Amino acid sequence: MSLTQTTRRHFWAGVFTLFAGTVLPAQAFAYHPEPISILVLNSYHKGFAWSDAIMQGIEETVAASPERIDVWIEYMDTKRFPDQPHRDSLFTHCRHKYAKQRFHAIITSDNNALDFVLKHRVDLFGGTPVVFAGINNFDPSMLQGHSAITGVAEHPDYEETFDIAHLLHPRAKAIVIPLPDSSTGRAIKKRMENTPKTEGAKIQIEFWEGLSIEDTSARLIARSDAPIIFAAGTARSESGRVLSNSEKAARIAESSSGPVYGDAEILLGHGVIGGKMVSGYTQGQTAGEFAIDILRGKRAENIPVLTESPNRWMFDFNVLQQFAVSVSELPAGSIVINQPRDIFDRYRDFALVALIAVIGFCAIIAVLVFNTILR
């Protein structure tokens, strides 16, 4: 290669480097694409522990995504306002608010939000893909006639929880299940009625529907047979105030002489002994992951609905002690909160450091001894 050719090659290489180092970054820096928008339609209100956990799972999953995603959140507040006129006003509100807003995906939290979207999606959001979470009593027929919808069902393991409750408390003759007079309460009852344990079981199943928390507490105090209680759903006070799931569980535990079981991990620490628990956070996390897959081009129809929740056995050590239940009686792999740590667990880190230090000192001493012998 001649000197002229070499010089020419270096010249054009310098020009390209200058172009790549100045013009291209300037163009990229000046390009600000509009963010991808997701609408999260929450059935309930902020401060409601179950759906707050779902929201946390969604928001943390979306925040960890490299995509620039703009999250809009709409709280339907249907726990405190379950009537149809309120839902009609929600439709009017959303039609006005989102008339000019285009969403790339919609995430619904719990049954009321999904029902609302299935009824009004075409009018409000066109064919925007939908991802649901926290759906009680899910059945594929619920989505019949609708497209571009997937999600994760809330699938409590009632049968397994009933089994362990009966095993740990064999003297109990009844399971009492207070339920709210709501779509969620009716869905829970339907699911429990289809549980094999409730069909012809020796233990009696009692559904207390639509009672205020005061009436429920009074009836439990009057019971002398220490029934097993299963806390599911919310409750209202006589004044109409909606109690959270955890507050309901705590009030029931205070009034009952029998153990209280539950279906959601948010109940632990509020007087509930335990059970096979669903996780609101995991529900939201999974829904967030499905939504991100859709934003990246995957069709909702190609994402199978997750019908089996990743539930876990979880118990509260303090309540186990109250009812003389040993940790050794629990299912293998159970998570036990409030369990005292033994001495080794308490000082595990210190013990490991000390062990490493002793091994190190022994190695140094061995080298010194060996060196002395050689000398």
Side-chain angles (χ1 to χ4, degrees):
M1 184 180 292
S2 67
L3 180 61
T4 303
Q5 290 176 321
T6 304
T7 303
R8 189 178 300 150
R9 181 180 177 185
H10 288 168
F11 170 78
W12 286 113
V15 170
F16 178 79
T17 302
L18 180 64
F19 178 82
T22 58
V23 178
L24 291 181
Q27 289 180 341
F29 195 80
Y31 178 58
H32 293 283
E34 288 297 316
I36 302 170
S37 296
I38 290 178
L39 173 65
V40 180
L41 196 61
N42 190 314
S43 295
Y44 308 134
H45 54 277
K46 190 170 179 61
F48 187 64
W50 164 254
S51 54
D52 280 355
I54 291 179
M55 293 304 302
Q56 183 184 359
I58 293 172
E59 292 178 304
E60 291 186 4
T61 301
V62 171
S65 170
E67 288 84 1
R68 184 183 173 202
I69 302 174
D70 190 11
V71 180
W72 296 53
I73 301 173
E74 190 72 43
Y75 289 96
M76 294 175 60
D77 209 4
T78 58
K79 280 292 181 192
R80 296 184 289 201
F81 302 96
D83 55 280
Q84 188 58 45
H86 174 66
R87 301 190 189 200
D88 293 339
S89 69
L90 281 171
F91 171 73
T92 303
H93 164 77
C94 290
R95 184 171 57 182
H96 169 73
K97 185 174 180 179
Y98 303 119
K100 298 180 180 180
Q101 176 64 37
R102 176 178 177 268
F103 294 106
H104 298 81
I106 298 171
I107 300 177
T108 65
S109 170
D110 291 277
N111 291 61
N112 292 344
L114 178 61
D115 292 343
F116 181 83
V117 167
L118 292 180
K119 184 177 181 180
H120 299 297
R121 178 169 63 154
V122 175
D123 295 328
L124 296 176
F125 311 111
T128 304
V130 175
V131 179
F132 58 79
I135 301 302
N136 294 105
N137 213 33
F138 174 77
D139 188 277
S141 63
M142 296 168 63
L143 307 181
Q144 188 173 357
H146 300 276
S147 60
I149 301 178
T150 187
V152 52
E154 181 186 335
H155 186 88
D157 291 296
Y158 297 131
E159 182 180 3
E160 291 191 69
T161 298
F162 290 165
D163 282 343
I164 196 66
H166 198 197
L167 177 66
L168 298 178
H169 314 280
R171 296 183 180 180
K173 303 301 181 183
I175 297 178
V176 172
I177 309 171
L179 291 173
D181 182 16
S182 65
S183 59
T184 299
R186 289 186 287 274
I188 293 173
K189 181 181 179 182
K190 182 178 179 180
R191 181 66 180 265
M192 288 182 173
E193 287 177 332
N194 293 329
T195 296
K197 174 55 68 179
T198 63
E199 297 177 4
K202 295 180 180 179
I203 190 167
Q204 182 180 356
I205 308 294
E206 301 178 22
F207 291 103
W208 295 359
E209 299 177 72
L211 298 180
S212 68
I213 190 63
E214 290 85 357
D215 289 338
T216 299
S217 297
R219 290 178 65 168
L220 287 174
I221 291 172
R223 295 284 292 251
S224 59
D225 57 342
I228 296 168
I229 316 298
F230 191 89
T234 57
R236 290 180 178 269
S237 66
E238 290 179 346
S239 64
R241 182 176 70 88
V242 177
L243 280 67
S244 66
N245 303 62
S246 54
E247 185 180 359
K248 171 187 174 179
R251 294 280 294 272
I252 287 175
E254 292 172 358
S255 307
S256 176
S257 57
V260 181
Y261 283 79
D263 59 354
E265 64 177 324
I266 59 172
L267 302 179
L268 287 178
H270 299 279
V272 171
I273 193 170
K276 195 72 173 289
M277 303 291 198
V278 297
S279 167
Y281 181 87
T282 303
Q283 293 269 323
Q285 184 182 49
T286 305
E289 291 170 352
F290 284 2
I292 291 172
D293 286 342
I294 291 171
L295 299 181
R296 292 173 179 169
K298 194 169 186 177
R299 296 177 61 85
E301 293 90 341
N302 296 331
I303 303 176
V305 173
L306 184 61
T307 57
E308 295 294 329
S309 302
N311 304 335
R312 302 178 297 178
W313 286 111
M314 301 184 72
F315 298 88
D316 187 332
F317 182 83
N318 294 335
V319 187
L320 290 172
Q321 292 286 95
Q322 180 183 341
F323 290 95
V325 176
S326 170
V327 172
S328 62
E329 300 178 70
L330 304 179
S334 294
I335 297 171
V336 182
I337 69 168
N338 295 324
Q339 185 173 11
R341 300 170 65 187
D342 57 32
I343 294 178
F344 179 74
D345 285 336
R346 193 175 304 173
Y347 300 104
R348 180 189 301 271
D349 294 340
F350 176 80
L352 290 175
V353 171
L355 179 62
I356 293 172
V358 169
I359 293 174
F361 288 139
C362 289
I364 293 171
I365 292 171
V367 170
L368 292 175
V369 170
F370 181 72
N371 186 55
T372 301
I373 293 173
L374 287 179
R375 287 177 178 276

